């Protein structure tokens, strides 16, 4: 085909299969028909996060986020959009698309990807993936390995950039799960996955049940719960941190609920100079995890 984007790449390009890919001046008709996005009102990342929570699919973007999701669960890929410059880097995905009849589109204008994601930080690739179901606490505990383990209970954290940074730190330090309260609206968003740089695929989201039951289940599995507080807690670097530990992390601004803090087994604070009240929730989480990992 004379206008194929693979023509100039010779034998190293992905196989064409029986699904031709057309290069048009602005190949956006198919994109707009699938997910209408008005040019005048590109959705914010927060709006995108809310919309994705209602959908069975998750729109991922950013090279590391997309590659990590595809590497772990390629069968979940439903649609791929990319710019010409990303073709060499994403050839395994393109070959998968051809072999499994998954639609993909090479776009010439990065503005199309910006409109699809509501973000300037798409890095030239967007993938629609099926969402992974969240595990129940009982299922997660049943399959959890023996020995040291750390989990994060997110009590109200909601900003997708903070969630993404927390996921990245959690993956780096080998956290076993992100625990979400029963009525939490938090779900993985494209913005959070991009910030996590692949970490979102390494740490599962686990949905808790009733608070009292969840606490009992965790303690029955050998976990202690540590409330992370700005003040009036044991200094993190002096506190006795159990090898099986759940850090309870409060929301941005207001922190964790006092009633939940009272139910925890210990309270820890990160000491500082006092020139600022506290660390950002994502930065604080990284410090907490680093100290736990140092001792295990």
């Amino acid at each position: 085909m004379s206008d194929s984007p693979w023509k100039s790449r010779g034998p190293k390009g992905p196989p064409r299969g029986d699904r031709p890919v057309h290069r048009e001046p602005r190949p956006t008709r198919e994109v707009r028909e699938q997910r209408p996005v008005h040019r005048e009102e590109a959705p914010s990342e927060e709006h995108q996060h809310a919309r994705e929570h209602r959908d069975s699919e998750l729109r991922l973007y950013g090279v590391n986020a997309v590659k990590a999701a595809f590497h772990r669960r390629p069968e979940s890929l439903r649609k791929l959009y990319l710019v010409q410059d990303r073709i060499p880097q994403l050839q395994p995905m393109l070959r998968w698309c051809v072999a499994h009849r998954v639609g993909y589109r090479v776009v010439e204008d990065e503005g199309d990807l910006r409109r699809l994601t509501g973000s300037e930080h798409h890095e030239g690739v967007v993938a629609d993936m099926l969402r992974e179901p969240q595990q129940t606490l009982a299922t997660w505990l049943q399959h959890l390995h023996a020995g040291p383990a750390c989990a994060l209970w997110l009590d109200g954290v909601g900003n997708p950039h903070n969630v993404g940074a927390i996921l990245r730190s959690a993956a780096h330090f080998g956290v076993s799960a992100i625990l979400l309260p029963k009525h939490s609206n938090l779900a993985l968003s494209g913005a959070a996955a991009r910030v996590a740089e692949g970490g979102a695929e390494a740490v599962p989201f686990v949905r808790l049940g009733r608070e009292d039951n969840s606490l009992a289940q965790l303690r029955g599995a050998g976990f202690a719960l540590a409330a992370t507080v700005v003040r009036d807690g044991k200094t993190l670097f002096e506190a006795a941190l159990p090898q099986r530990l759940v850090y309870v992390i409060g929301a941005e601004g207001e922190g964790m609920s006092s009633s939940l803090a009272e139910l925890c087994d210990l309270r820890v604070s990160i000491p500082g100079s006092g020139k600022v009240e506290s660390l950002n929730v994502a930065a604080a989480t990284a410090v907490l995890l680093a100290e736990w990992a140092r001792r295990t």
Side-chain angles (χ1 to χ4, degrees), residues 226-236 248-257 261 266-281 284 288:
T228 58
V229 294
V230 174
R231 59 185 66 86
D232 300 328
K234 183 77 171 178
T235 298
L236 173 67
V248 184
I249 311 294
E252 302 92 342
E254 62 268 25
M256 65 179 297
S257 68
L266 64 155
R267 299 160 68 95
V268 296
S269 301
I270 300 173
S273 67
K275 294 179 180 179
V276 293
E277 182 182 18
S278 64
L279 290 171
N280 164 274
V281 65
L288 293 163

Side-chain angles (χ1 to χ4, degrees), residues 13 25 99 132 147 159 169 172 182 189 202 237-238 240 257 260 265 296:
E132 251 190 323
N159 180 285
S169 294
H172 180 79
K182 181 177 181 179
S189 69
F237 308 118
E238 298 176 358
S257 68
L260 180 56
D265 302 295
T296 56

Side-chain angles (χ1 to χ4, degrees), residues 62-139:
V63 174
N64 288 337
V66 170
K67 289 177 68 175
F70 174 75
H71 177 75
R72 181 167 168 265
R73 46 192 183 99
E75 71 285 348
S76 296
L77 181 63
R78 289 296 176 266
K79 187 77 175 181
L80 180 67
Y81 310 87
L82 70 162
V83 296
Q84 183 82 18
D85 290 347
R86 290 296 184 193
I87 290 175
Q89 191 175 8
L90 300 175
Q91 283 190 8
M93 295 186 70
L94 292 166
R95 289 193 177 99
W96 172 274
C97 288
V98 171
H100 295 82
R101 296 181 176 273
V102 174
Y104 64 94
R105 171 74 67 174
V106 179
V107 301
E108 293 182 344
D109 184 356
E110 291 195 13
D112 295 326
L113 302 186
R114 184 174 63 250
R115 286 185 286 274
L116 282 171
T117 62
S119 173
E120 298 282 350
H121 307 294
H122 50 73
E123 299 176 9
V125 59
V126 179
D128 289 342
M129 306 281 294
L130 288 178
R131 281 190 177 277
E132 251 190 323
Q134 294 177 353
Q135 298 181 42
T136 65
L137 180 59
T139 299

Side-chain angles (χ1 to χ4, degrees), residues 11 19 43 91 136 145 174 203 221 244 266-267 295:
R19 180 183 290 269
Q91 283 190 8
T136 65
H145 58 79
V203 187
R244 288 172 80 84
L266 64 155
R267 299 160 68 95
R295 303 194 200 181

